[in-house]
Amino acid sequence: MLTLTLRRATLLGIPALLLAGGIVAAGAMMRSVPENLDLALEKPTAAGLYKAAIAPQSAPLTVGQMHAWTVTLQTANGAPVEAAKIGIKGGMPQHGHGLPTAPQVTKSLGQGRYLVEGMKFNMRGWWTLDLAIDGPKGTDTVTFNLVL
Ligand SMILES: [Cu+2]
């Protein structure tokens, strides 16, 4: 009986300690969002083939709700880029997890604008949004930083 009680205490105690440690670690990570993040929502792509901009369709951004975004894609010279394929990934670099949903471009809005639906952020903190662009000038990527 005593053995059983001890074993149960151990089984319950270890997860409780891990949980407490996790909460402390999460608190530390929330405080340490890098101060010099580039928060620009419009920037050249990594290889300079395009200029990309992202904009939420409603503001302020809320945690835990689905929202739509617009991606605007231009050539380096500022001409709208039509008929590009845009893949969207993202996550929280400090937490090692991705987006809780799988947002997708659902519509071309014309003038190089694309509708992205299904975006959701389930935590506050530093998020990245990574676009993989496959367009007439070639493939390129761009990463945006968001702090919620
Ligand atoms: Cu997180």
Side-chain angles (χ1 to χ4, degrees):
M1 195 62 190
L2 182 61
T3 311
L4 186 64
T5 308
L6 278 175
R7 187 178 296 158
R8 184 178 293 166
T10 308
L11 287 173
L12 292 175
I14 288 172
L17 278 175
L18 288 175
L19 183 63
I23 290 167
V24 171
M29 281 187 281
M30 283 177 75
R31 284 194 297 273
S32 63
V33 170
E35 287 183 11
N36 298 323
L37 282 178
D38 174 9
L39 297 176
L41 296 183
E42 179 175 2
K43 61 172 75 172
T45 51
L49 297 182
Y50 306 102
K51 280 192 291 188
I54 58 170
Q57 291 215 320
S58 57
L61 287 178
T62 48
V63 170
Q65 288 190 338
M66 286 284 202
H67 35 88
W69 288 63
T70 305
V71 173
T72 303
L73 195 59
Q74 299 178 326
T75 64
N77 295 329
V81 173
E82 307 284 351
K85 286 184 190 147
I86 303 171
I88 299 144
K89 288 202 166 131
M92 299 186 83
Q94 293 171 310
H95 297 182
H97 64 76
L99 290 167
T101 57
Q104 293 188 328
V105 171
T106 53
K107 195 194 267 186
S108 173
L109 301 171
Q111 303 294 318
R113 294 167 69 247
Y114 301 81
L115 180 66
V116 176
E117 292 185 289
M119 193 97 82
K120 185 167 142 179
F121 303 104
N122 56 342
M123 298 174 69
R124 296 209 163 272
W126 171 28
W127 290 86
T128 58
L129 273 186
D130 308 300
L131 305 187
I133 298 157
D134 185 357
K137 302 281 186 187
T139 59
D140 207 345
T141 61
V142 61
T143 297
F144 295 97
N145 297 296
L146 301 166
V147 175
L148 268 74

